[in-house]
Amino acid sequence: MCLPIACSSQPQTNSVANQPLIVGVPPWPGFAAQYVATDLNLFKAEGIEVKEVFFPTQSDPNTALLANKVDLALTGVPDLVPLAQRDTSIKLLMLFDYSDGSDGIIGRDISQPSDLKGKTIARENLLFEVLLLRRYLEKGGLTEKDIKIVDTSAANAAASFAAKKVDVAVTYDPWMAKAAKQGGGKILFTSKDSNIVPDGLIAKEKVIQTKRAEILAYMKAIDKAVKLVQQKDEKAIAIVAKRLNVTPEEAAQQVGGVKLFGIEDNKNIVFNPQHPRNVFDSLKFAAKTAKDMNLTPVVVDVNKIYDNSLVKSL
């Protein structure tokens, strides 16, 4: 189920396309630039019309992209690995962020990773959540065979923890911190100072070829929005707060839990193999884990699942 939100329904005088770009968007602080660019009409300023389709869970935009219901999707990039097994034409075009503390594991009466043995843990069956949980389990010498997993959305996982229906939950903001407090627990482990969970923009090759000019204009608008959010512009933070259904103070805190990337950051960090936080290392870890977890039959060649030519051309 999704809620369509059109960012602009007025005809464009200088549009580079007759049809709007349709973008699938879930709730996540790292996608703040999308929310801001939509509400401040930054796409219109770049001469394009963007129709935003809001989805309640992270996996829904991926499903919509596979079904050709959206042109672009914002998603957790590790999920691109199993997606690429289903459609080899899907590519990563740019990162919006690395989670820098806004993805995590919350627990009650857990003092160390080994305490998870025998516990019931709620998490969504998304690769980036699998990766996060796996990292924490490894610290305690455990695997997923040592726990009981309840497969549910990140929002439901947080709600279940808050209601004390599960011992542990893998989730992310805007729900993580609030659920930890409501459930009488604490945040055990997060994505802080890591590149475990990158989030970005993906599309199919056909869309990249036929709507290249529109995607470039889209990226320019996103770049402007990133700068506003990084500057903690009052209007921008208010927009993010409204979208995530939190207070402006909470929104500012949650945005602080992600490392946002504009165009230059994508050039100099994300697609730079020499930089320690490049996306290639993250994708390789995701590809290996996906194979180990039998999410893919082989280790996906990460060199075939990105297209940095658009970013480089800007």
Side-chain angles (χ1 to χ4, degrees), residues 187-235:
I187 298 173
L188 306 173
F189 180 66
T190 75
S191 54
K192 183 72 176 173
D193 297 324
S194 77
N195 63 352
I196 299 174
V197 187
D199 304 283
L201 179 71
I202 62 175
K204 291 187 178 183
E205 186 63 40
K206 183 177 180 180
V207 172
I208 299 170
Q209 292 176 356
T210 59
K211 298 192 175 185
R212 190 178 185 89
E214 298 96 302
I215 297 173
L216 289 171
Y218 173 89
M219 289 178 170
K220 290 178 183 177
I222 291 297
D223 188 65
K224 291 177 181 177
V226 165
K227 291 180 172 64
L228 289 173
V229 178
Q230 288 175 330
Q231 293 162 6
K232 298 202 170 136
D233 177 85
E234 198 170 308
K235 284 185 179 179

